[in-house]
Amino acid sequence: MPKTSKMHLCGFLIAGPVVHSHAIWRNPKHRTDFLSLNHYVDIARLLERGKFDFMFFADRLAIADRYGASHETGIRHADQDATRMDPVPILGAIAAVTSRLGLGATRSTTYDAPYNIAREFATLDHISAGRAAWNVVTSMNDGEALNYGDVPHLGHDERYDRGDEFMEVAFGLWNSWDEDALVLDRENGIYADPDKVHYLNYKGRWFQSRGPLNIPRSPQGRPVIIQAGSSGRGKAFAARWSEVIFALQPSLERMRVFKSDVAAALVDAGRTPDASKVLMAIMPFIGESRAEAEEKRDLHDSLVDPLVGLSTLAAHANTDFSHFSLEENVEQLQSSGSQGNLAALKSIAAGKSITIADAGRIYGQGVMCPRLVGTAKDVAEQMAEIVTSGASDGFVVSPAFLPDTFEDFVGKVVPILQKNGLFRSEYEGSTLRAHLGQAAT
């Protein structure tokens, strides 16, 4: 069994009514105030109490209307894109009431400008004293393209090519202020050393940016970069730029294969095989007994309509599945968008008869998140097996209900992980990069 350092934990969120679980807003125990700032502030405080490395918000820039070429299904049943508030203002507020928890937001390299992104995350890194993270996405479907009509909707690999150039500009802008450029000599009236603030003068195929950034170098130098590409091109992009890779793999074997592929891609990119932390998504259901945990899972699953899962799946795959009968086999489905999730869904169907309706239920229940079901001890042991087997460096914990899942996890699972030496008992640094055990930039 490979030796392992302490695992890393992230809380996964969307600023809306659902996350991977499409049942969250239907929580039978209490109302989930997903339009309220206090909802997210309370979750952040809870995660910080549990010593999580960071939280991050997934995001997209359109409602889902691929299924049936209409937004009717997604809006009626609340699919993953029915509502997504902008996470960056929310993180700004959270920065004021937390002191250690890392703060991650999603921003697209296809529908934004590098200068905007560099400025936004430099600001967040300053006001959080070095806790900012950027989950980089290239965007993937026609709905987003239609909301930004002056930007062509690029093919899968070309989006990543554009993304590479975007990152070159952003990194250049973050480096445009030397670490010691800010002088603040009040007596002599010298604010900064102009010789240590540099023009960028970048000219590429997609972007031109003169620079420099109009914000001094931030505490981390730049935000921690998160990426979730699962295709071959996506893995290459992640290997070049990321410090955290978020993965959603439905089985231990697929986790091992993914992590091995990432290690090889990192080496191909000229980095060490452990240069980026690989965190696997999990959805825990925790009870005082396994039977109680299974009851929680079954109640959760009963609240998910197959159509809501198909609406989200159609958005992720950038393909309209509505012309298929719900009783047809899932192998009929093809994707021009996010390829990893559909491939994982089909892997479950291997050798089995899984209908498109079944696929909708599975997708709506958790977008392929592995579910860890049992007592807190059971869940902790399953997490330990994944990490100690070398299949993951930690986990992105995706809630079934909010804040219920995080309350159970922080109150019951974290203490077991701490007692077994698998997770920190206290934060050892103040920046997110320090939590991750990575060198400052």
Side-chain angles (χ1 to χ4, degrees):
M1 184 178 294
K3 182 180 178 181
T4 182
S5 58
K6 288 181 171 61
M7 68 177 65
H8 300 280
L9 294 178
C10 165
F12 183 82
L13 291 167
I14 290 172
V18 306
V19 184
H20 288 118
S21 160
H22 288 55
I24 283 178
W25 71 280
R26 298 187 66 190
N27 190 336
K29 286 178 60 177
H30 55 77
R31 179 179 172 180
T32 301
D33 294 321
F34 58 87
L35 296 174
S36 160
L37 174 61
N38 285 339
H39 171 68
Y40 302 104
V41 166
D42 289 345
I43 290 169
R45 285 173 164 155
L46 174 61
L47 295 177
E48 187 166 74
R49 190 164 70 246
K51 313 303 179 188
F52 272 53
D53 293 67
F54 64 106
M55 65 189 300
F56 93 82
F57 287 86
D59 197 21
R60 237 172 39 84
L61 301 169
I63 61 168
D65 57 3
R66 292 295 284 152
Y67 191 81
S70 168
H71 65 277
E72 180 180 352
T73 299
I75 293 295
R76 182 181 303 279
H77 297 292
D79 69 8
Q80 207 176 54
D81 297 322
T83 295
R84 295 204 191 209
M85 296 192 294
D86 187 338
V88 172
I90 296 172
L91 290 176
I94 289 172
V97 297
T98 57
S99 62
R100 292 290 185 271
L101 182 71
L103 307 173
T106 299
R107 282 288 189 260
S108 172
T109 60
T110 301
Y111 303 113
D112 214 319
Y115 196 93
N116 290 345
I117 295 295
R119 188 167 180 261
E120 197 167 46
F121 281 99
T123 300
L124 181 59
D125 205 47
H126 274 295
I127 67 172
S128 67
R131 296 184 282 136
W134 173 21
N135 178 48
V136 182
V137 298
T138 61
S139 297
M140 60 190 174
N141 62 37
D142 296 340
E144 292 169 295
L146 291 169
N147 286 342
Y148 294 83
D150 60 340
V151 179
H153 185 48
L154 304 174
H156 178 272
D157 286 2
E158 196 173 22
R159 290 198 304 272
Y160 281 110
D161 293 342
R162 187 181 193 273
D164 278 325
E165 192 171 297
F166 192 110
M167 301 302 286
E168 290 172 1
V169 179
F171 274 52
L173 290 167
W174 285 318
N175 289 329
S176 63
W177 286 67
D178 291 351
E179 190 172 357
D180 58 350
L182 198 61
V183 176
L184 296 178
D185 182 345
R186 293 185 295 168
E187 182 177 349
N188 294 302
I190 299 174
Y191 173 69
D193 183 346
D195 291 335
K196 296 181 178 181
V197 180
H198 312 286
Y199 289 106
L200 181 60
N201 293 321
Y202 185 98
K203 292 184 179 180
R205 176 183 174 188
W206 282 282
F207 300 108
Q208 297 185 25
S209 183
R210 186 194 67 172
L213 195 63
N214 60 349
I215 300 173
R217 191 174 184 87
S218 71
Q220 293 189 115
R222 56 173 168 75
V224 168
I225 303 299
I226 308 168
Q227 228 282 311
S230 57
S231 66
R233 185 64 184 87
K235 286 175 185 172
F237 182 86
R240 181 178 179 188
W241 300 108
S242 75
E243 292 154 287
V244 174
I245 294 175
F246 162 49
L248 203 159
Q249 298 294 330
S251 68
L252 180 58
E253 182 54 34
R254 286 182 64 94
M255 291 177 191
R256 288 184 180 128
V257 170
F258 182 90
K259 193 163 188 301
S260 177
D261 288 349
V262 165
L266 286 164
V267 171
D268 288 344
R271 303 172 69 191
T272 61
D274 59 352
S276 192
K277 306 293 185 186
V278 177
L279 306 186
M280 295 293 174
I282 57 169
M283 184 181 293
F285 291 87
I286 303 157
E288 293 303 316
S289 65
R290 181 170 182 85
E292 181 182 311
E294 290 173 345
E295 287 175 7
K296 287 184 177 183
R297 178 201 60 198
D298 293 346
L299 170 62
H300 167 272
D301 290 355
S302 72
L303 299 174
V304 176
D305 189 299
L307 288 177
V308 75
L310 288 173
S311 181
T312 292
L313 179 59
H316 288 178
N318 197 34
T319 304
D320 182 8
F321 303 132
S322 65
H323 57 282
F324 290 105
S325 164
L326 293 180
E327 300 311 309
E328 288 190 62
N329 193 284
V330 73
E331 289 292 337
Q332 300 298 314
L333 304 184
Q334 300 295 323
S335 170
S336 66
S338 178
Q339 299 175 19
N341 286 2
L342 188 56
L345 189 60
K346 289 181 178 181
S347 77
I348 290 178
K352 303 177 185 177
S353 178
I354 291 185
T355 67
I356 290 173
D358 293 330
R361 290 188 190 93
I362 292 168
Y363 216 74
Q365 289 161 3
V367 191
M368 306 301 298
C369 263
R371 284 117 75 85
L372 306 188
V373 183
T375 65
K377 183 174 181 290
D378 294 334
V379 170
E381 287 176 349
Q382 292 176 76
M383 294 172 67
E385 179 186 7
I386 293 168
V387 171
T388 57
S389 71
S392 179
D393 297 306
F395 300 94
V396 173
V397 181
S398 187
F401 290 119
L402 285 170
D404 316 43
T405 298
F406 290 139
E407 288 175 341
D408 285 344
F409 190 89
V410 169
K412 299 174 182 178
V413 177
V414 166
I416 296 173
L417 296 173
Q418 291 170 331
K419 180 180 178 182
N420 293 338
L422 291 169
F423 187 60
R424 68 173 63 88
S425 296
E426 295 294 340
Y427 289 111
E428 296 178 1
S430 59
T431 69
L432 175 54
R433 200 164 269 113
H435 301 343
L436 295 168
Q438 294 167 333
T441 62

